Structures are given as C-alpha cells and as structure tokens.
Amino acid sequence: MDLQNIVEDQGETLTTTSMNDSTLDHPLNSTSGSLNDICYELSSLQDLACRGSWRSILDKVARARTQSLLSKPHEHLIYLAYNTIALAKLRRFSDAIAELDTLENGIDNVIYSYENYPQHYPNQHGSMAPFALRWLYAELPSRVGNRQETIDRFYTLLHFVREKTKTKTNTNKDSSGMSDDIWRKREGLVINSIISHHLSHKEFVVCLDLIKDLISRDSTPGSRAVLISKLGYVQMQLGDLEGAKTSFGMVEEIVTEEKVEIELKNLVNRNKAMMFMVGKDYVSAVREYQECIDRDDSDVVAINNKALCLMYLRDLSDSIKVLESALERVPTAALNETFVVNLCSMYELAYVNHSDIKKTLSNWIARVAPDDFDTSATRV
Amino acid sequence: MVNEGEGGPSGGHGGYGGDNNDSDTDGTQSLAFRVMRLCRPTFHVETPLRFDLSDLIVGEDDDDPQSQFRRLLQSQSSTTTDLTYTNRFLLHDDHPSDAMGLPGMLVLPQSFGAIYLGETFCSYISINNSSSFEVRDIVIKAEIQTERQRILLLDTTKTPVETIRAGGRYDFIVEHDVKELGAHTLVCTAQYSDGDAERKYLPQYFKFTVSNPLSVRTKVRVVKETTYLEACLENNTKSNLYMDQVDFEPASNWSAVLLRADSHHSEKSVSASREIFKPPILIKSGGGIHNYLYQLKPLLDESAPMKFEGSNVLGKLQITWRTNLGEPGRLQTQQITGNLITQKEIELKATKVPSVIILEKPFTVCLSLTNLTESKLGPFEVLLSLSDSQEEKSLIGVGLKKMALPQVEAFRSLNFQMNLIPMEAGMQKISGITVFNTTEKKSYDPLPDIEVGLHMFLSCYCWSSNWSNQKHY
C-alpha cells in the first residue's frame, strides 16, 4: 500500500460512490463526501446500516475484500467492525466471533496502531482500531451461551477504559482538554452494558449499586432524568414500589427545572403511568399514556404500554387496535420485537384460529422489517 | 411454546387454550374459551447491539475533539423524523443509558408460570364464537375447584349474555386469592343456544398447582428476662422476593421489637440519595434466606397478672412480599410458641449488700422474698445449698444452715438477712440459695445468682497499714 495508490483510490471513491436517490435526503449524506474521506464508501456502508440492510453490508464487505478496494489499514478495521456487527445482527454469532478472531493476536497488536504506518498516518498516534471492536469482543461470548466470559471481559474492559481516562487526564496539555471526555463516555457505555447483563439475570442488587455509581457521575440533566427513571424501573421490577416512587419524584424535579423537550415531558408522564399501573389504576395510566401519544405519536413505549393497560381493563379489541394502528402509521418506530410479541399474545387470546392473522402479520413484517428483525417474535 | 412451571393449562401455548372434555359435548361447539393468566407484565430487558458512531469509524485513540474527524461527527445532527431503522443501530447521543437496554416497554406474561399460596390468581377469559352463526342466551360460569371446595368467580345465570355474533367474543377477568395448596382447576362452563337453536354445553378445564412460597423456621431463646425470637424465611419460589413487610404480631401479653443490625458504613451515603438507595430486602430465588430477630418482653399488667402456667404462645408473623412490578403475596404463619414457661411464684432479691466486705469476716446481706402469686405462700425454709462442684466455696454461711420464714401474703414481700463469710477475694456471686415451701413440700428452682457487682472484697492484710485512718464497716 503506497501513497500513490491512495491518492488515486480517493479520486475514484468520490466519483464511484453508489448511492440511491432516496438516500440524498439522509442527513449523513449532506456531508457524504466527508464520511468517504474517512473511509472508502463509508457513507454507503453507514446508510445500509441505518436501514438495517445487514445482508447487503456482508456483500459489500466481501466485495471490497476480494476486489482489494480498501487501500488503508484503518479501512480494513472499519470494514471488519461493520462486518462483525452485521453477522451479529443476523444472529450469526459464531461467525461474528470468528470474524473478530481474524485480528492477529488480538486488538492490542502493534500492527493496529498508527505509528506502524508512518507513511499513511504521519501525525497520528495510538490505536486505529475502532472502540466498537473491543465492545464486541466483550459482548459476543454471551450470545453463544458463555455469559460468564462476557461479564469477565466487560469488567476487564471497564478497567482498561478507566486506565485510559486516567492517562488522558494526566497527559492532557491542550486547552480544550476534553479527550478524556470520550473515554468517560466509553466508561459509561461499558457500565451500562454490564448493568444490562446483570439485569437479564435478575441480579438486581448489583444493578442498583452500578446505577447509583452512574448517577453520581457528571451528566446532563436530561440524561440524568432518563437514568434515574431506569433506576425506578429496576426498583419496580424487583417489587420496591416505594423506592420507584421516590426515584420518579426525583425525575420530576429535574424535568420541571429545565426547559423541557417533548421527550422528557413524555418520560415524566410515562413514569406516572407506571405508578398508576402498579396501583392497578389502569384508567389513569391510559390517560397518562394518551397525553404522551398526543404530543408525540411515535412514542412507541407509550403506545405499547397503553395497549397493555387496555387489555388489563378487559378491552382486548382496543388493545389490538392500538398496536396495529401504530404499526401502520409509524412502522419504523413501532416495528420492534417486543411490540410484535405483545400483539401476537393478544391475537392468541382473541382468536381461536390465530395462525391466520399471525401469518398476515408475519408476511407484512417480511416486507417491511430490517434484516435483523427476529421473526421468531411472531411464534408462527 | 409450552408453558413452564408447575401445572399450567394443558393444550395450546402457555396460558392459552384449555382442555375440552369431549364426553360432555355432542357435535361441534360454536364457542370456545381462551384463557390467559394475567399476572403483572415485566419490563423488557436486553443488551442492545447499538453503537456510537465515533466508536465505529475512527480509531479509539483518535480522541482529540479538535481533530477533523471529531468535528465532522459533531456536525452530524441527530434526526427526529428518521424514516430508517437508525434507532436499532445507533445509540442516542444524549442518552448514554440507552446502552442499558431498559427502554421501559412492558411485555405480557409469556407463560403461565408458577403460582404460590398467598398470591392472587388473575385471569383474562375470552369466550369466542368461531362459528358462522350467532349464538344466544349464553350462561357463563367460572369456578375454582380445589380439593376442599368450589369457589364461584363468575355466574351470568341471572343475566345471561344475550348474544355473541359470528366471529365475536365476550371477555371477562376473574381474580381469586389463593389460599390453598395443591391442585386447582379453573372450570369454565358455557350454556348457549347455537345457530340451530340447539342448547349446547361447553365445559373447559384449566389446571394448575399451588405451591408454598416460603418456609419459616423459628427459634426461641430466653436470656434472663428477655425472650428472643429468630425467624428464618426461606424463598422456595423461582423468583426473587422483595420483602415488603415482615411484621411480628405478638400475642396480647407480649410486646415485640424488631432488632436491626447497624447499617454498613457504605450505606450511609449523601442524604439526598439515602432515600432511594435504602438497600431492599430481597430474598434470592430457589432457597435464599433472610433472618429476622425480635426481642420480646412480657407485658406485666398489675391488675391481671400472668396466669398462663405452661402457656407459650408468642404471636405470629405477617409477611407481605412482592415480585415483578409489585405483584403482592401475603401470608400469615400459625401461632409461634416459645418454650414452656414455668410461672415464677416467688422472687428473691438482694436489697442491701455492704459496700466494703473484708475477707474472712462475716457480713450481712439483706434479702427480700416476694410472693408473685395471688394467694398466700409458705411458710418457707431458706438454705444456702451445698455445692456440687469440686471447687471450694467462696462464700459460706454463718449461723443456721436453714432459716425459717413465715407465710408471705399475696403480692407482698418479706425481708430477712443472711450472714456470710467470704473466703476468697475479688468479685463473688451469692449463689445456691434455695427456697423450700414447707406446706406444698416443693422446692423452687435455684434462684438466679445474686451478683454483688459494685462491691469489693478487700484483703485487710494489705491495706491495714495504709488505711489506719479509714473506717471499715
């Protein structure tokens, strides 16, 4: 890979990027030239990912590799990342792990650092590997049944990130001094991932401790409100209703202080609705959710939960209508597995011969859904 | 998908469908029951496969925010009217907790699950007309049948449902507090007139088993005047139990106080966060335990003194727990009994002990014998009993070995004195005093040792030379 080829490659890239017309409106495409500066046909890759066209991504990566379309080392790593994610999204987890294993001797290998290619990266230092690769390395074992390995790797990753944050804080000399911010963000990401694993295994007490840790870190009021709401959900899930009530109260205080976006207003209403639900006052819960939907008709959490409340009010017909209409109106927001699982449960209750209606739903999903949609949600 | 847990309806998916008892029906049925257990929903949890763009397309050490790439990324605005599935791929920049995978969406119960004593069984019942004809005059009944009884949950006999159109449904929700263990059957029956005006009968049965969620083991210990009750709760269910309330309700002659361990220093966090971070009492599923310790004191009511010779009822435990989304369960234990208490009839106390006691010189102890019963007791004999131990006695009596005391009236005390000689220096106990009731010819249990705690036994030999000016009593 020498410099001359790279220059030629870049020229080619700008003219041969394949994009459909419909993607021109995509915000990333307004600077599509810039994204492609980072990496060969990156904006196309990104566009496919946002559409959930993971199979196309696999094709694209395969083609780029066989036709040697990638000129710089870091491009290979970016393509590796997208490829691994695509395989994981398609639930081909063993293949995803194998893909990551193609990193020679792991991600910390010096060959993945900028210094190793001074001719390509004259002024850059450190690892060129995207951080996502580390995250995937930690996450994937749990998807093939090795949960303990994932937990261990995430805690190791947390330690790694914390060490980086310390180093960056210590060596930061420039006035902006914010590079440790990015590592702090990653620290938050890793902690959140750890919490999600403990949550899936109902290890609630650990979750409470970890969330407490997160809350004490600096963050914007909006993200604090969201985080404390999640604390409330965990408390509710384990049965501590008083604790949840206190948490939601704190969220309300934060939100009333700030000039609020619709998103946060809806958060407060949804929390109120949850408190009504656990008190079995489903009518008031529906009212709260309706307020959210009136403000934002793509608030799928409110729509989903409202449908469940209707069901607990013995109104199975309306609960089905609420979910079906959301799928029609805002499919890209509403089409998620939880939504579909709930709708199918309702179908199974409402119809003796429910396989017909579920088949109809299944067919519609096949036409509209992204590649990574888990079709087992319909239980057809 | 087959239902998990014990019991559960047979046929169909977890919680749905049911058993058709065909022998009772002739021909085809227009109606069918669909049943779904309606316990509380749960929050959906998953680890999302979502990423931050900057973690994906630039090197991890390319973290200088002033770099070209970072500025580029910052210029990307997040769209709200995004018609693609970006929300399945990218993390919301403003909400890092998106990565926790707890969006707040609820999921309906996906299986019948296990059901335990003390919980409330709640079920959605839908009666569907899958025929092409209207059915009329539908009398619906829903009952719970256990080994011991049949409990009616719903009966439309007095006001039958007029009609269910072809393809239509009639829904209802039933609730029942589960108070028995073992096999239960939800019996749903419908009598109706079908399209041919034939009267049909449809019974359907949904079986489930109720198990015991908790084992409660108690231990009672008496230390001096106080009774301690230790209760160990063991969780036999498949989920963690949040102990909402565990209250010991003492019997009328007792008062009880829950003893708590001092909280760990790490729990004493900043005051604002203290309220939400009170650690919950959560007993782990499948055998986890939690212990409670209560201190019980007898309530001494002067007007109605304890008559319960041999009675030992302490009280009972009221337990309320919660599972997902606060689903409650309530149980009460049976009466918890303590050790058999022999009612004290008499009490012996030392009322006065000299402040200075000299080795090998006699001293006088003033004692008081109290009659705790409501009738005269006595006369008595008081003895300083011979020790069984190998050790030499540290105190020996002076004078009469046996002292005779007259009768003592109900609730009255009698004061008397004993002379003793100390044979050893240091703190000593006056022990082995026995009281014998000469009328009833019975000995009371050896009375508790009287400690002469504040008093000191001095050796006069050591001190006499220095203390010549001191008075010795």
Side-chain angles (χ1 to χ4, degrees):
Chain A
M1 279 190 250
D2 57 86
L3 238 68
Q4 268 189 310
N5 280 343
I6 293 160
V7 172
E8 280 166 35
D9 279 341
Q10 281 198 333
E12 271 181 56
T13 311
L14 286 168
T15 51
T16 61
T17 319
S18 53
M19 282 188 289
N20 345 355
D21 289 334
S22 57
T23 65
L24 285 173
D25 292 334
H26 197 287
L28 281 178
N29 290 333
S30 59
T31 46
S32 62
S34 318
L35 263 192
N36 289 338
D37 282 347
I38 298 175
C39 172
Y40 176 76
E41 294 204 351
L42 180 57
S43 75
S44 160
L45 213 52
Q46 181 62 13
D47 184 65
L48 289 170
C50 289
R51 289 172 180 280
S53 305
W54 300 102
R55 292 196 196 100
S56 306
I57 288 183
L58 289 182
D59 291 340
K60 190 176 172 67
V61 173
R63 192 166 37 90
R65 285 171 174 174
T66 52
Q67 294 176 25
S68 304
L69 300 173
L70 304 176
S71 46
K72 289 196 169 195
H74 78 279
E75 293 181 328
H76 285 279
L77 290 172
I78 291 172
Y79 270 60
L80 174 67
Y82 275 83
N83 211 44
T84 311
I85 294 170
L87 288 166
K89 284 285 188 184
L90 295 169
R91 281 175 296 286
R92 289 170 53 182
F93 298 116
S94 315
D95 292 340
I97 291 176
E99 178 75 1
L100 264 190
D101 277 347
T102 61
L103 283 171
E104 268 180 63
N105 294 330
I107 200 176
D108 292 307
N109 192 336
V110 69
I111 64 170
Y112 302 119
S113 67
Y114 288 121
E115 290 94 332
N116 209 47
Y117 308 93
Q119 71 278 32
H120 288 295
Y121 315 107
N123 288 319
Q124 286 176 272
H125 305 282
S127 164
M128 69 171 81
F131 183 75
L133 289 175
R134 288 193 194 270
W135 188 90
L136 286 162
Y137 176 73
E139 170 63 23
L140 287 173
S142 68
R143 307 279 177 147
V144 291
N146 194 349
R147 183 204 173 234
Q148 194 53 52
E149 184 65 27
T150 284
I151 299 272
D152 290 346
R153 287 184 185 182
F154 267 123
Y155 277 103
T156 308
L157 182 58
L158 182 61
H159 179 77
F160 169 83
V161 170
R162 283 179 168 159
E163 289 299 300
K164 277 280 192 182
T165 316
K166 260 191 245 163
T167 327
K168 299 288 173 175
T169 325
N170 290 340
T171 62
N172 240 334
K173 296 206 174 75
D174 56 20
S175 51
S176 64
M178 294 297 216
S179 65
D180 54 334
D181 246 13
I182 284 150
W183 285 100
R184 253 190 244 285
K185 205 174 172 193
R186 288 171 179 163
E187 187 186 350
L189 166 67
V190 174
I191 295 176
N192 274 300
S193 304
I194 292 173
I195 293 171
S196 77
H197 279 282
H198 284 303
L199 265 181
S200 315
H201 263 67
K202 309 202 180 171
E203 290 157 352
F204 295 121
V205 179
V206 176
C207 292
L208 293 176
D209 286 341
L210 288 169
I211 296 178
K212 181 188 353 182
D213 183 54
L214 276 179
I215 289 174
S216 63
R217 291 149 56 93
D218 281 340
S219 44
T220 64
S223 59
R224 269 172 64 87
V226 173
L227 182 58
I228 297 176
S229 299
K230 293 188 186 196
L231 171 66
Y233 305 152
V234 175
Q235 287 167 314
M236 267 193 174
Q237 188 65 57
L238 68 87
D240 181 4
L241 302 182
E242 282 305 308
K245 190 170 169 196
T246 314
S247 301
F248 293 149
M250 284 178 72
V251 174
E252 269 197 72
E253 276 175 38
I254 295 173
V255 172
T256 49
E257 282 170 30
E258 302 292 312
K259 182 168 56 97
V260 274
E261 312 130 16
I262 287 177
E263 208 181 346
L264 289 179
K265 280 190 192 153
N266 276 17
L267 179 67
V268 170
N269 281 96
R270 290 201 306 267
N271 293 346
K272 281 199 186 132
M274 283 307 311
M275 287 310 301
F276 283 126
M277 267 198 94
V278 297
K280 296 176 92 160
D281 181 359
Y282 300 110
V283 172
S284 300
V286 169
R287 193 192 58 227
E288 294 291 332
Y289 285 129
Q290 193 54 51
E291 242 186 87
C292 297
I293 297 166
D294 292 341
R295 272 188 217 118
D296 172 11
D297 69 357
S298 66
D299 183 345
V300 289
V301 178
I303 295 169
N304 176 79
N305 294 359
K306 175 187 165 189
L308 259 69
C309 287
L310 288 171
M311 193 173 150
Y312 282 76
L313 284 170
R314 204 179 55 118
D315 194 352
L316 184 58
S317 311
D318 277 342
S319 63
I320 290 177
K321 280 199 197 112
V322 165
L323 292 183
E324 284 178 338
S325 95
L327 283 174
E328 270 178 84
R329 270 184 313 107
V330 285
T332 50
L335 187 52
N336 71 68
E337 286 79 350
T338 309
F339 220 76
V340 171
V341 161
N342 283 332
L343 181 54
C344 289
S345 298
M346 292 176 188
Y347 283 154
E348 285 164 12
L349 183 56
Y351 301 96
V352 176
N353 302 313
H354 45 74
S355 35
D356 289 338
I357 194 163
K358 288 206 291 183
K359 202 82 186 65
T360 313
L361 175 65
S362 209
N363 292 339
W364 178 83
I365 288 173
R367 286 198 325 267
V368 172
D371 292 350
D372 57 314
F373 189 88
D374 187 353
T375 49
S376 70
T378 55
R379 288 201 294 263
V380 146
Chain B
M1 187 181 73
V2 181
N3 53 287
E4 304 135 27
E6 300 111 347
S10 44
H13 299 272
Y16 314 118
D19 238 349
N20 249 332
N21 193 342
D22 281 18
S23 57
D24 277 0
T25 65
D26 45 321
T28 50
Q29 294 275 5
S30 310
L31 295 183
F33 282 101
R34 303 291 294 166
V35 167
M36 178 173 159
R37 182 177 172 196
L38 218 59
C39 43
R40 292 181 190 208
T42 47
F43 280 111
H44 172 68
V45 175
E46 60 168 359
T47 308
L49 274 175
R50 289 168 69 187
F51 303 88
D52 193 299
L53 199 57
S54 64
D55 285 343
L56 210 47
I57 64 177
V58 290
E60 61 182 1
D61 282 330
D62 204 334
D63 48 28
D64 180 358
Q66 298 307 313
S67 82
Q68 174 207 353
F69 300 140
R70 293 275 158 205
R71 278 181 278 130
L72 159 67
L73 288 171
Q74 272 155 34
S75 70
Q76 313 286 339
S77 54
S78 60
T79 53
T80 46
T81 55
D82 192 15
L83 293 177
T84 65
Y85 292 109
T86 310
N87 59 343
R88 288 173 74 94
F89 171 51
L90 294 179
L91 289 167
H92 198 310
D93 211 36
D94 295 335
H95 302 314
S97 62
D98 269 1
M100 200 194 292
L102 186 60
M105 277 183 91
L106 296 169
V107 189
L108 285 170
Q110 292 302 297
S111 67
F112 188 88
I115 186 156
Y116 297 100
L117 192 66
E119 292 183 333
T120 303
F121 170 71
C122 180
S123 181
Y124 198 110
I125 304 179
S126 179
I127 180 161
N128 297 38
N129 179 2
S130 51
S131 74
S132 345
F133 304 98
E134 190 195 17
V135 300
R136 309 188 64 84
D137 296 321
I138 307 110
V139 173
I140 307 170
K141 257 182 156 184
E143 296 171 304
I144 294 267
Q145 169 101 40
T146 66
E147 282 167 43
R148 287 194 337 220
Q149 53 183 327
R150 213 174 166 105
I151 303 150
L152 188 64
L153 302 177
L154 178 94
D155 186 356
T156 68
T157 311
K158 297 222 171 81
T159 51
V161 177
E162 269 186 42
T163 168
I164 302 179
R165 62 174 175 81
R169 282 193 339 259
Y170 179 78
D171 295 345
F172 52 103
I173 293 181
V174 294
E175 272 191 19
H176 167 68
D177 289 336
V178 176
K179 295 193 175 124
E180 281 177 63
L181 288 169
H184 284 58
T185 310
L186 173 65
V187 182
C188 296
T189 58
Q191 286 182 56
Y192 61 100
S193 305
D194 71 2
D196 301 324
E198 238 185 280
R199 199 80 186 142
K200 287 269 176 77
Y201 173 67
L202 167 73
Q204 265 181 278
Y205 308 94
F206 307 92
K207 297 192 207 297
F208 57 94
T209 310
V210 174
S211 324
N212 216 337
L214 291 170
S215 308
V216 181
R217 290 189 290 277
T218 55
K219 262 190 226 163
V220 179
R221 277 182 250 263
V222 180
V223 177
K224 290 204 179 172
E225 306 271 303
T226 318
T227 303
Y228 292 95
L229 170 67
E230 186 186 319
C232 173
L233 267 58
E234 183 179 327
N235 176 0
N236 301 322
T237 73
K238 293 187 163 83
S239 30
N240 299 324
L241 298 182
Y242 170 73
M243 301 318 284
D244 196 1
Q245 268 180 305
V246 177
D247 291 329
F248 180 73
E249 286 182 0
S252 54
N253 53 314
W254 292 99
S255 74
V257 164
L258 174 69
L259 298 178
R260 275 186 229 273
D262 293 334
S263 57
H264 193 265
H265 61 83
S266 68
E267 288 166 12
K268 297 187 165 94
S269 43
V270 182
S271 60
S273 51
R274 187 199 282 270
E275 293 138 39
I276 51 171
F277 296 131
K278 194 165 65 103
I281 299 178
L282 198 64
I283 310 186
K284 292 198 82 155
S285 60
I289 62 165
H290 193 89
N291 293 307
Y292 293 85
L293 185 62
Y294 298 91
Q295 185 181 67
L296 275 60
K297 291 217 166 105
L299 289 171
L300 279 171
D301 189 350
E302 304 267 315
S303 57
M306 295 184 282
K307 307 176 193 184
F308 309 106
E309 173 84 25
S311 142
N312 48 11
V313 168
L314 298 174
K316 52 188 195 277
L317 276 170
Q318 295 265 32
I319 304 167
T320 309
W321 70 89
R322 289 187 186 271
T323 53
N324 68 290
L325 255 62
E327 183 106 63
R330 282 173 202 89
L331 275 183
Q332 217 181 58
T333 62
Q334 293 181 326
Q335 294 288 10
I336 298 167
T337 54
N339 307 317
L340 225 53
I341 313 162
T342 331
Q343 198 43 61
K344 273 194 350 182
E345 290 184 345
I346 59 161
E347 195 181 31
L348 189 69
K349 278 199 299 228
T351 54
K352 194 168 172 204
V353 178
S355 49
V356 176
I357 298 168
I358 299 169
L359 199 62
E360 291 175 4
K361 293 263 178 189
F363 69 100
T364 307
V365 180
C366 297
L367 297 160
S368 156
L369 178 75
T370 309
N371 177 358
L372 296 172
T373 71
E374 50 187 14
S375 45
K376 277 194 274 205
L377 283 180
F380 301 98
E381 276 175 0
V382 180
L383 314 114
L384 198 56
S385 60
L386 294 167
S387 169
D388 292 331
S389 73
Q390 309 287 320
E391 296 161 22
E392 232 183 77
K393 279 216 94 178
S394 52
L395 285 168
I396 55 175
V398 176
L400 298 169
K401 297 287 181 205
K402 253 198 255 187
M403 205 188 283
L405 295 176
Q407 265 193 344
V408 183
E409 296 290 326
F411 304 119
R412 302 297 275 264
S413 298
L414 177 72
N415 297 318
F416 64 100
Q417 292 178 339
M418 277 182 100
N419 290 327
L420 302 170
I421 300 181
M423 300 310 291
E424 281 176 27
M427 287 274 289
Q428 303 298 338
K429 286 190 210 175
I430 302 172
S431 64
I433 300 179
T434 319
V435 179
F436 182 71
N437 186 326
T438 49
T439 313
E440 293 177 36
K441 302 273 189 265
K442 77 172 185 194
S443 219
Y444 297 97
D445 287 340
L447 296 159
D449 300 338
I450 300 163
E451 286 187 353
V452 286
L454 295 175
H455 308 295
M456 295 179 32
F457 293 70
L458 301 175
S459 158
C460 65
Y461 302 115
C462 297
W463 290 99
S464 58
S465 50
N466 297 324
W467 286 40
S468 50
N469 292 332
Q470 300 277 333
K471 277 191 193 163
H472 295 280
Y473 305 173

